[in-house]
Amino acid sequence: MPVEITWWGHATCTVEDSGVRLLTDPLFARRLAHLRRRRGAVPPPQASLADAVLVSHLHSDHLHLPSLARLAAGTRLLVPRGARRAVPGLARIADLRGLAVTEMSPGDGTTVAGSAGEVRVRAVSASHDGRRLPFGPRLAPALGYVVEGAARTYFAGDTGLFDSMVQEVGPVDVALLPVGGWGPYLGPGHLDPAGAARALALLAPAAALPVHWGTYWPIGMDAVRPHEFHSPGEEFVRHARREAPKVAVVVPAHGERVRLP
């Protein structure tokens, strides 16, 4: 049974496998601080339906409290260990909405049940400063997740390359890799299209999908390095053809659902 992925924009995806519906880093806002959504409609209400939500780190464009407030009562929420202490609003929303919060560290695993089956979710490391900026110590690690059902799907969250990536992630069928960002320059702890292609060559999945690009951009900066907004998806395809020619790369439109591998 293949896995089905819907990319809603930025790092937000719905992963459907074995009758289980998982949602990654939900961000359902038209505007977030100095960022506005420049491409793709705000996801519809059904995008918030999930058996579990995977939150990779505490940055507000990945752990977005108003978006979590849209989740249905009883939804499981997998977050980095320490998230509740670092982000007090998370506990308030979890109590208000009846969300079941599970804190995870790299190496932890849990079973998520859905309407017609279950999957195993493993937390893995990420090379990224995942604290709640612009303040606060590093109270929680940045994570990636591997969903193990009929397929094995790696959601990298935000990350750069790191030495134990292949060992921790293990063999996977599908990789959801970040290839860009929300501003004209990427700092440390991010994959650009070339770096994501190198990760692809190391992981060697059957299929890959680029995320974290072409959605949000700072207000008033449309003319500043616009290629960093528009081109990362296509650049990833070009680099992947050279670095990992056996991997099928799919670049969906916002809101498009694809079947992989």
Side-chain angles (χ1 to χ4, degrees):
M1 176 181 176
V3 61
E4 294 183 330
I5 310 289
T6 304
W7 182 51
W8 300 109
H10 202 54
T12 307
C13 297
T14 295
V15 178
E16 297 174 84
D17 188 338
S18 304
V20 181
R21 185 179 173 99
L22 302 162
L23 181 64
T24 67
D25 288 352
L27 181 56
F28 301 142
R30 187 173 304 280
R31 178 172 173 175
L32 172 62
H34 65 299
L35 306 178
R36 67 180 175 90
R37 192 176 182 107
R38 285 191 57 198
R39 183 189 290 170
V42 174
Q46 61 264 30
S48 64
L49 299 176
D51 298 299
V53 171
L54 314 181
V55 173
S56 63
H57 62 285
L58 306 189
H59 290 176
S60 57
D61 58 324
H62 293 260
L63 196 166
H64 185 242
L65 296 177
S67 294
L68 297 181
R70 290 176 49 175
L71 300 174
T75 303
R76 286 193 66 187
L77 190 59
L78 308 186
V79 300
R81 190 168 302 280
R84 282 178 290 197
R85 182 161 58 102
V87 186
L90 176 61
R92 291 195 296 270
I93 286 177
D95 291 343
L96 179 66
R97 300 297 300 162
L99 308 179
V101 180
T102 300
E103 296 195 344
M104 302 186 75
S105 299
D108 290 347
T110 188
T111 299
V112 176
S115 60
E118 63 182 32
V119 298
R120 184 75 175 167
V121 178
R122 286 191 294 115
V124 300
S125 298
S127 177
H128 191 69
D129 182 354
R131 60 184 150 172
R132 191 69 163 185
L133 297 176
F135 51 85
R138 290 177 174 83
L139 297 177
L143 300 176
Y145 295 93
V146 178
V147 178
E148 300 174 343
R152 292 163 297 187
T153 302
Y154 172 44
F155 168 61
D158 254 2
T159 190
L161 287 169
F162 56 96
D163 291 341
S164 63
M165 177 181 277
V166 174
Q167 179 182 355
E168 289 195 49
V169 173
V172 290
D173 302 299
V174 177
L176 309 179
L177 297 177
V179 301
W182 50 252
Y185 300 97
L186 286 175
H190 293 88
L191 292 173
D192 62 8
R198 289 194 292 274
L200 202 60
L202 294 171
L203 296 168
L209 190 152
V211 301
H212 205 271
W213 71 282
T215 309
Y216 291 91
W217 201 250
I219 294 169
M221 296 186 68
D222 291 7
V224 180
R225 294 174 63 86
H227 61 281
E228 297 291 351
F229 178 85
H230 293 286
S231 67
E234 291 73 20
E235 288 186 15
F236 175 62
V237 172
R238 178 169 56 83
H239 285 289
R241 285 172 180 161
R242 183 177 66 251
E243 299 280 350
K246 294 183 179 180
V247 180
V249 177
V250 179
V251 184
H254 288 77
E256 182 179 0
R257 182 179 182 182
V258 297
R259 179 172 291 193
L260 301 169

